[in-house]
Amino acid sequence: MSGTNIGNLLNTAGVSWGWFEGGFDLTKTNPNGTTGCSRSTTSLITGTKKADYIPHHQPFQYYSSTENPTHVRPTSTALIGQAGDAANHQYDLNDFFAAIQAGNFPAISFLKAPGFQDGHAGYSDPIDEQEFMVNTINYLQTLPSWQQTAVVISYDDSDGWYDHQLGPLVNQSASAADAIAGTGSCGNGATALPGVASGTANAQGRCGYGPRLPLLVISPWAKNNFVDHGHRPDFRPAFHRRRLAERPAHRRRILRCAGELAGRHAELLDDAECGDVCPRCRQRPGGEPKRHSVHKPVCRHTADEARRKTVVFSRIAWACARRAPQHLSANRA
């Protein structure tokens, strides 16, 4: 595919990033003897043997600008997430932990569990999924950088079998894949939005809104006991394209607003540049927490202090949101 993705925008802004997916390293051998593209793990909960690496779960492989089709290994641990690395920002999940242990924590990290732990209905289980999330988040919480980290848990856009409420059919479609309003119908396809290819005025097969999707932010910067019920798309290209292309001050702002940089809700974060409570100044002698819209001269952070880390869990299924692990100590949105 051509076109611009969020990885391209991060590259343009000079922000380190990486997609880390279980099974991507074809040189490793699993305890069950599987290796290469056949690396697999059997869930102790479901008893299902599932490939660790699932190609269609790797979005950046679809773009020629961000692909790593032969699964080239990183030039070095120090270059993981950096421009010029041979892996082109596409890594195995183990590389994420190796980079952190080497003191090289990318600013933006997308994590995708191995197949048996990704929470997908049919072959994974909520217990497998939570083991992956809890172990990862508990590890991140032990790091000095945790005070500058936001973890965003994102859910798959079509699976999970859980939503009891049909959303409004804002973008309609009439194709062989549609069935909501009848065989081959999801409303009037003549009104469908245009497609990516030039000349496709009304692309079919993209009926929606789809299922409602929970989204969690786990971070020292997350607002306590806050739930946002608004509708927002996961990625807002216009926002990224405008902000990331502008002057360095805007780049720093995006880094501080880590939730929006990942394409998510900035309002879920108590963030200095988003005009909310400054965690560093949260306890002020004699009273109310400071807000940067009023107290910027007192609470202003340096650019280095503001470079928080964002970790995005991709394709985490419904059960995690409903039965979130109780022993995670971080704040939840």
Side-chain angles (χ1 to χ4, degrees):
M1 292 176 60
S2 59
T4 301
N5 62 48
I6 191 172
N8 302 134
L9 298 173
L10 293 171
N11 288 338
T12 299
V15 178
S16 60
W17 69 280
W19 177 278
F20 301 87
E21 180 165 347
F24 196 79
D25 182 358
L26 304 184
T27 68
K28 292 187 67 67
T29 300
N30 284 6
N32 62 3
T34 58
T35 189
C37 295
S38 299
R39 281 176 59 191
S40 62
T41 305
T42 300
S43 166
L44 296 178
I45 308 299
T46 67
T48 301
K49 182 179 180 180
K50 184 65 178 177
D52 290 348
Y53 177 66
I54 303 175
H56 65 271
H57 290 179
Q58 221 292 20
F60 295 105
Q61 291 284 75
Y62 286 87
Y63 290 83
S64 58
S65 59
T66 54
E67 68 176 351
N68 180 1
T70 59
H71 297 229
V72 173
R73 301 292 297 138
T75 304
S76 67
T77 304
L79 281 178
I80 290 175
Q82 307 296 323
D85 180 40
N88 198 24
H89 302 279
Q90 312 309 313
Y91 305 102
D92 192 275
L93 191 59
N94 292 325
D95 296 323
F96 174 72
F97 298 101
I100 291 177
Q101 291 166 8
N104 175 29
F105 194 163
I108 304 293
S109 301
F110 299 91
L111 305 189
K112 164 62 176 63
F116 81 103
Q117 289 183 320
D118 71 7
H120 193 297
Y123 60 75
S124 184
D125 184 88
I127 301 301
D128 291 319
E129 170 196 16
Q130 289 185 32
E131 180 181 7
F132 167 69
M133 287 196 299
V134 170
N135 289 343
T136 302
I137 295 172
N138 283 351
Y139 170 71
L140 294 173
Q141 290 177 335
T142 68
L143 303 175
S145 57
W146 174 246
Q147 294 304 315
Q148 297 176 309
T149 300
V151 175
V152 179
I153 302 180
S154 174
Y155 290 69
D156 188 88
D157 62 357
S158 62
D159 300 307
W161 309 339
Y162 69 92
D163 196 353
H164 66 283
Q165 177 65 50
L166 177 65
L169 302 182
V170 175
N171 185 57
Q172 301 181 11
S173 172
S175 73
D178 295 308
I180 289 180
T183 303
S185 174
C186 184
N188 183 4
T191 63
L193 294 171
V196 175
S198 60
T200 306
N202 304 108
Q204 303 300 302
R206 303 187 304 179
C207 188
Y209 302 136
R212 295 170 297 177
L213 304 176
L215 181 145
L216 303 178
V217 175
I218 302 174
S219 172
W221 293 71
K223 291 183 178 180
N224 290 321
N225 302 317
F226 176 80
V227 178
D228 175 49
H229 296 284
H231 166 265
R232 297 189 185 275
D234 274 358
F235 292 93
R236 286 178 276 178
F239 171 86
H240 296 300
R241 189 173 297 111
R242 182 175 69 254
R243 293 289 196 267
L244 288 173
E246 289 178 357
R247 60 184 185 273
H250 281 154
R251 174 177 169 232
R252 292 194 297 271
R253 175 180 178 134
I254 294 172
L255 288 170
R256 284 190 285 268
C257 296
E260 281 206 335
L261 180 56
R264 313 300 188 195
H265 303 277
E267 57 267 33
L268 297 180
L269 300 175
D270 277 339
D271 195 274
E273 278 296 307
C274 294
D276 218 311
V277 178
C278 168
R280 187 176 169 193
C281 310
R282 192 183 299 273
Q283 300 301 322
R284 184 172 60 161
E288 297 297 320
K290 296 179 181 179
R291 294 180 181 272
H292 277 249
S293 56
V294 178
H295 301 282
K296 280 189 177 182
V298 179
C299 292
R300 187 184 302 277
H301 297 292
T302 66
D304 289 339
E305 290 170 332
R307 289 184 63 89
R308 295 205 309 277
K309 308 298 184 183
T310 302
V311 179
V312 179
F313 287 94
S314 177
R315 201 178 175 85
I316 298 299
W318 60 276
C320 171
R322 299 201 311 178
R323 291 189 276 166
Q326 296 301 307
H327 64 279
L328 291 179
S329 61
N331 300 328
R332 289 184 185 82

